[in-house]
Amino acid sequence: MNAPRRLFGLLPLVCVAASPSARAEPAFSVVAFQLLAGQAAAASAVGSTDASAPLTHVEADRIDGRENVNLHAEGNVRIEREGTTLNADKVDYDLLEDEVHAEGSVVVRRGTDTISGPRLRMKVDEKTGEMETPHYTLERSRAMGGTSTPMKGHGDAEVLLLEGENRYKLKNATFTTCDANDPAWYLKARELDLDFARADGDSRNATFHVGGVPVFYTPAATFPLSGDRRSGLLAPTFSPSNVTGFDVTIPYYFNLAPNYDDTFVPRYMTKRGLQVNNEFRYLFPKSSGILRTEWLPEDQERGESRSAVAFTHQQSFDYGFSGLVNYNAVSDKDYFTDLSSRVTQTSTDNLVREAAINYNAGSWLTGGVLVQRFQTIAGPLQYNRLPQVSLQAYVPEFSGFSFRMPVEGAYFQRDGSDEGWRTYSYPQVQYNYVRPAGFVTPKLGLHTVSYNMDTRVSAGPTSATRSVPVMSVDSGLYFDRELQIKGRDYYQTLEPRLYYLNVPYRYQDDLPVFDTSVADFGFAQIFSDNLFVGQDRFANANQLTAAVSSRLVNASTGAELLRGALGTRYYFTDQRVTLPGETARTGKIADLLGSFAGRVTPTTSVDFFLQYNPRDSVLEQATAGVRYQPAFASVLSASYRYKPQQYTDVDLTAQWPIYGGFYGVARINGDIETKKLTEGIAGFEYNGSCWVARVAAHRLLNTSGFYTNAYYFQVEFGGLISVGNSPVALLQRSVNGYGRINQPIADPAFGQE
């Protein structure tokens, strides 16, 4: 009899379909018909009628079989079950053994994974079996650098064994993430285990080939199939340096638990010796932390042991309380200069050691207790705070008024200097008159500071109190207008602002100075109530600040495209309160400030700032920057900084495609006046689709006045392994707008105004 186009039944729960011209054996057709009609006898003979059982769908040019025994399908066979699809020229399904034998162009697909070969034997429910001479393709997501990127791998084998759900064992197999038939690299192993449940691969007796040439052999190795962590050796790094010699690390990662791990890093430097480094990380529901240690038993250059430790811990308690521990130490002040090429470390002046308990329950009262010490590496000594207790009461809104009162007491300690207690309070009350067209906010405050000294080295009393009343009025207006530029809708704002400040003079020259310095003159400072940062001095003032800013905003998105501002200050009285050694300001007109920043075209952004002294017709400082970025990993940037008698700094950075997959990267940072290079980087990158190579040279002027030269060479093989010393962190930190060429991301700003 002719089989229907789609006939559903249970074999167990088999869905059968054949072409209209196909013939089916009567026995099979009767069984299928009885199952479709719900005959209990036939159903119980071939499988459960439980609706939750897996449904199997079969299509073929010809289907026949024996009731409750087997199914035979030929010609364009397609079997689907639980997300798995099997295609073959011929399939025999033994119902009693639940075993499938497939021959001829066999292809098994599950999700994004594909396995193909001439023959397959498989236990369907157990998902076990084997395939001869298979070719396989897998695709998984790998987490790198905070983003998730796909990792696609494929290869061939002599035999592939299915060992259960998402587990495969391959013999005499290859693996690569390259797409080409002639891959740039591949791993060839006698045995290869791919476990997608654990998201890792294990190889035994494996040889890594590059360009068809065996590069290295390993008796056993593991590699990730996703971003999941697991214990094992990480890729070694190596780089030459003029201060460490040839520098090699071989990290080993311990995945101790889902919430804590450890990385052990032996590091050998031909000029210094063997250093042992370790990083332990932990994360619990209410706490987290990192402990880093470095130990060099004997520095061959200095003939002594050298070490470093860094520990951070954050703790959350109940009822709004939290804690912090931050401890950093090195064995000597030259440690970072000699043993690190990182800018953030070679330029470190002070290492902080502190512990704190803080309170912030989202109410009107916050506070904390801090104990803080410093290890000075370079630069001026810092005062230790042993301890510092602070509270702040803040009422943001009450009938138009707001109230703020910070209170702090600290004991300042530094050998050979003034030591003792300083307490201060600064209650302030402000009325907030705010409307859509503008605002007026008058404010009154009283800044009080008291000293009780144990040691007084500078001239002055051992105890003193100073109180200064502070009065200010801040006001501004808001105007905007609609306009069109090249058919697009924008609006432009005009925002004038006036700020008046009055602080009477109080004599303060006999007070000690613990943590106070002159604030940098800029747009933030001209609207503040004190020209000093810190509590030891409060400047007298009778002055008016005037500024105006304008913004260009995209009307549809609300994105700010351009911003410009001008501001200055007029003094009605001369400065009388100063820091030791500081010259008091005279004159009525302050410096003129100007800034302009934003995206002038979809691919070009600028940033300008200047401070001009109209009294002496002198440019006090200026910065100018421009960045051109038409696409990802294509950026040119230039900036200039100028301050008389201090620096004339030029910074040029670039990342640009050269030809094919080649990119160039560079940075030149230095002072024009001294003609001295501060930092220089030159390098090349190559994106070979399934592999990436990077070469870079780095020259850095460290705090000791000497140059550190470091060289980087890295090859990444398709997310599988990375060999060499990566310059990526250096380039991301130093090259403005740098993009990792094997992790392109969409920048929504590209092509927009």
Side-chain angles (χ1 to χ4, degrees):
M1 60 180 289
N2 289 332
R5 177 59 181 165
R6 293 191 180 274
L7 180 63
F8 295 90
L10 293 170
L11 290 171
L13 282 182
V14 175
C15 166
V16 183
S19 62
S21 60
R23 301 283 295 180
E25 292 293 333
F28 176 77
S29 300
V30 170
V31 171
F33 180 82
Q34 289 176 334
L35 293 172
L36 180 63
Q39 296 295 324
S44 61
V46 295
S48 171
T49 58
D50 183 0
S52 64
L55 177 67
T56 302
H57 178 82
V58 182
E59 291 183 359
D61 293 339
R62 177 178 177 81
I63 301 174
D64 55 38
R66 289 187 298 163
E67 179 180 354
N68 307 326
V69 177
N70 72 337
L71 179 150
H72 177 79
E74 288 190 36
N76 299 313
V77 182
R78 178 183 177 88
I79 301 176
E80 294 182 8
R81 183 170 181 174
E82 292 185 299
T84 299
T85 301
L86 169 65
N87 292 86
D89 293 337
K90 182 173 67 174
V91 173
D92 287 298
Y93 183 14
D94 188 331
L95 278 75
L96 299 178
E97 298 294 333
D98 190 34
E99 185 172 282
V100 167
H101 290 262
E103 294 184 6
S105 302
V106 180
V107 180
V108 179
R109 294 183 178 88
R110 184 175 182 85
T112 55
D113 299 335
T114 302
I115 304 172
S116 60
R119 278 176 292 277
L120 168 69
R121 177 184 59 81
M122 182 174 65
K123 292 276 190 178
V124 178
D125 281 340
E126 296 179 5
K127 295 181 176 61
T128 60
E130 67 177 55
M131 177 179 284
E132 297 181 11
T133 60
H135 177 81
Y136 66 92
T137 299
L138 61 91
E139 187 169 352
R140 289 296 186 273
S141 179
R142 174 167 168 77
M144 295 179 64
T147 61
S148 182
T149 59
M151 187 184 80
K152 186 176 183 179
H154 63 87
D156 300 286
E158 184 178 291
V159 176
L160 182 146
L161 303 177
L162 291 83
E163 299 190 326
E165 183 74 26
N166 285 324
R167 294 178 58 196
Y168 307 99
K169 180 187 290 290
L170 300 94
K171 295 185 177 181
N172 295 324
T174 62
F175 177 87
T176 182
T177 60
C178 298
D179 292 329
N181 293 327
D182 185 18
W185 66 268
Y186 60 89
L187 183 72
K188 187 174 183 179
R190 182 169 296 176
E191 289 189 3
L192 185 64
D193 291 332
L194 303 178
D195 190 335
F196 297 137
R198 294 188 305 159
D200 60 48
D202 289 285
S203 63
R204 284 170 292 282
N205 294 321
T207 306
F208 194 79
H209 294 250
V210 177
V213 178
V215 176
F216 64 84
Y217 165 82
T218 176
T222 62
F223 55 91
L225 298 176
S226 71
D228 293 345
R229 303 173 294 137
R230 71 159 301 172
S231 298
L233 282 172
L234 302 180
T237 70
F238 51 87
S239 66
S241 168
N242 65 320
V243 294
T244 62
F246 193 74
D247 195 330
V248 181
T249 68
I250 306 177
Y252 191 92
Y253 177 76
F254 296 91
N255 184 26
L256 304 176
N259 60 325
Y260 55 90
D261 58 20
D262 187 88
T263 306
F264 176 70
V265 187
R267 176 189 183 190
Y268 181 72
M269 300 164 282
T270 55
K271 284 189 175 183
R272 302 285 178 175
L274 178 64
Q275 183 185 57
V276 179
N277 303 333
N278 196 80
E279 179 182 88
F280 177 73
R281 305 184 301 176
Y282 58 91
L283 176 63
F284 294 95
K286 291 189 176 183
S287 65
S288 63
I290 302 176
L291 172 63
R292 299 183 179 94
T293 58
E294 300 179 0
W295 180 49
L296 182 61
E298 183 178 0
D299 188 333
Q300 297 172 1
E301 291 279 311
R302 294 172 61 113
E304 61 182 4
S305 174
R306 309 179 74 179
S307 59
V309 61
F311 174 61
T312 59
H313 174 83
Q314 293 179 321
Q315 182 73 46
S316 175
F317 302 103
D318 295 328
Y319 308 108
F321 287 94
S322 62
L324 168 70
V325 176
N326 183 16
Y327 181 85
N328 301 272
V330 292
S331 57
D332 57 88
K333 66 178 183 179
D334 298 322
Y335 185 89
F336 293 132
T337 302
D338 292 343
L339 300 177
S340 176
S341 61
R342 291 172 54 189
V343 177
T344 53
Q345 291 187 338
T346 56
S347 59
T348 298
D349 290 338
N350 293 278
L351 297 179
V352 64
R353 306 166 183 177
E354 60 186 7
I357 296 292
N358 298 307
Y359 173 77
N360 186 350
S363 60
W364 59 273
L365 183 66
T366 60
V369 178
L370 170 71
V371 178
Q372 185 181 69
R373 283 184 176 273
F374 291 93
Q375 180 184 5
T376 300
I377 305 298
L381 298 176
Q382 300 292 312
Y383 271 100
N384 302 316
R385 300 168 190 252
L386 307 170
Q388 173 183 292
V389 181
S390 60
L391 291 172
Q392 177 168 267
Y394 177 52
V395 179
E397 183 68 28
F398 182 77
S399 299
F401 289 90
S402 61
F403 174 78
R404 184 190 304 271
M405 187 175 75
V407 178
E408 180 187 283
Y411 186 88
F412 290 87
Q413 183 274 329
R414 190 175 72 186
D415 293 340
S417 304
D418 295 337
E419 295 185 359
W421 281 94
R422 185 194 71 191
T423 60
Y424 89 89
S425 65
Y426 189 14
Q428 308 157 58
V429 61
Q430 175 177 295
Y431 181 72
N432 306 294
Y433 182 83
V434 181
R435 296 294 184 270
F439 67 92
V440 178
T441 56
K443 184 172 71 172
L444 292 174
L446 180 66
H447 189 280
T448 300
V449 63
S450 299
Y451 296 87
N452 188 1
M453 309 298 296
D454 290 339
T455 303
R456 188 68 197 263
V457 176
S458 61
T462 57
S463 62
T465 300
R466 179 265 295 150
S467 295
V468 180
V470 182
M471 187 276 289
S472 66
V473 179
D474 197 1
S475 61
L477 295 173
Y478 178 87
F479 304 94
D480 64 44
R481 63 166 183 164
E482 297 178 352
L483 69 160
Q484 280 195 337
I485 301 176
K486 295 183 179 180
R488 296 187 178 182
D489 294 328
Y490 301 89
Y491 65 86
Q492 180 188 10
T493 70
L494 184 66
E495 303 167 59
R497 184 178 177 185
L498 289 175
Y499 176 73
Y500 175 74
L501 175 67
N502 189 290
V503 181
Y505 169 74
R506 294 291 187 269
Y507 179 75
Q508 303 170 52
D509 291 348
D510 60 344
L511 301 180
V513 178
F514 290 131
D515 62 354
T516 301
S517 60
V518 178
D520 291 334
F521 192 78
F523 280 101
Q525 195 279 325
I526 62 175
F527 291 100
S528 67
D529 54 14
N530 193 6
L531 61 85
F532 298 108
V533 177
Q535 311 303 327
D536 300 305
R537 296 289 186 271
F538 211 106
N540 63 297
N542 185 12
Q543 60 199 36
L544 180 67
T545 298
V548 61
S549 62
S550 180
R551 297 178 296 128
L552 182 66
V553 180
N554 187 311
S556 60
T557 65
E560 180 181 292
L561 304 179
L562 297 173
R563 172 187 283 270
L566 288 173
T568 190
R569 178 188 287 164
Y570 183 83
Y571 300 104
F572 298 101
T573 59
D574 291 338
Q575 177 187 355
R576 299 179 64 185
V577 178
T578 62
L579 289 171
E582 180 191 6
T583 301
R585 172 201 49 79
T586 58
K588 303 299 183 183
I589 302 296
D591 294 347
L592 176 67
L593 301 176
S595 69
F596 178 77
R599 191 182 293 269
V600 294
T601 74
T603 59
T604 306
S605 58
V606 298
D607 189 357
F608 298 102
F609 171 80
L610 63 84
Q611 178 182 339
Y612 178 73
N613 181 348
R615 304 174 302 278
D616 304 319
S617 301
V618 173
L619 186 63
E620 295 291 347
Q621 64 173 318
T623 62
V626 59
R627 173 173 156 180
Y628 173 66
Q629 189 165 12
F632 178 79
S634 302
V635 58
L636 302 174
S637 175
S639 65
Y640 173 80
R641 296 190 312 142
Y642 169 78
K643 195 167 188 177
Q645 311 302 320
Q646 294 191 34
Y647 52 76
T648 306
D649 184 83
V650 172
D651 194 2
L652 306 174
T653 66
Q655 181 187 22
W656 201 259
I658 300 174
Y659 177 78
F662 284 95
Y663 292 76
V665 289
R667 183 187 188 189
I668 298 177
N669 176 248
D671 193 290
I672 296 177
E673 293 294 329
T674 62
K675 298 181 180 179
K676 183 172 289 188
L677 179 71
T678 303
E679 184 178 19
I681 299 173
F684 292 95
E685 300 177 288
Y686 177 74
N687 188 351
S689 180
C690 64
W691 66 283
V692 174
R694 299 181 177 93
V695 179
H698 182 216
R699 184 172 175 84
L700 174 68
L701 182 66
N702 55 47
T703 54
S704 63
F706 297 98
Y707 282 101
T708 298
N709 300 323
Y711 305 92
Y712 299 83
F713 174 76
Q714 180 202 29
V715 181
E716 289 186 38
F717 294 101
L720 179 69
I721 189 174
S722 174
V723 179
N725 192 22
S726 173
V728 170
L730 169 69
L731 298 176
Q732 289 175 332
R733 181 175 62 246
S734 303
V735 177
N736 188 12
Y738 171 82
R740 191 163 181 166
I741 59 176
N742 57 332
Q743 287 185 307
I745 56 174
D747 186 346
F750 291 151
Q752 296 186 9
E753 295 184 11

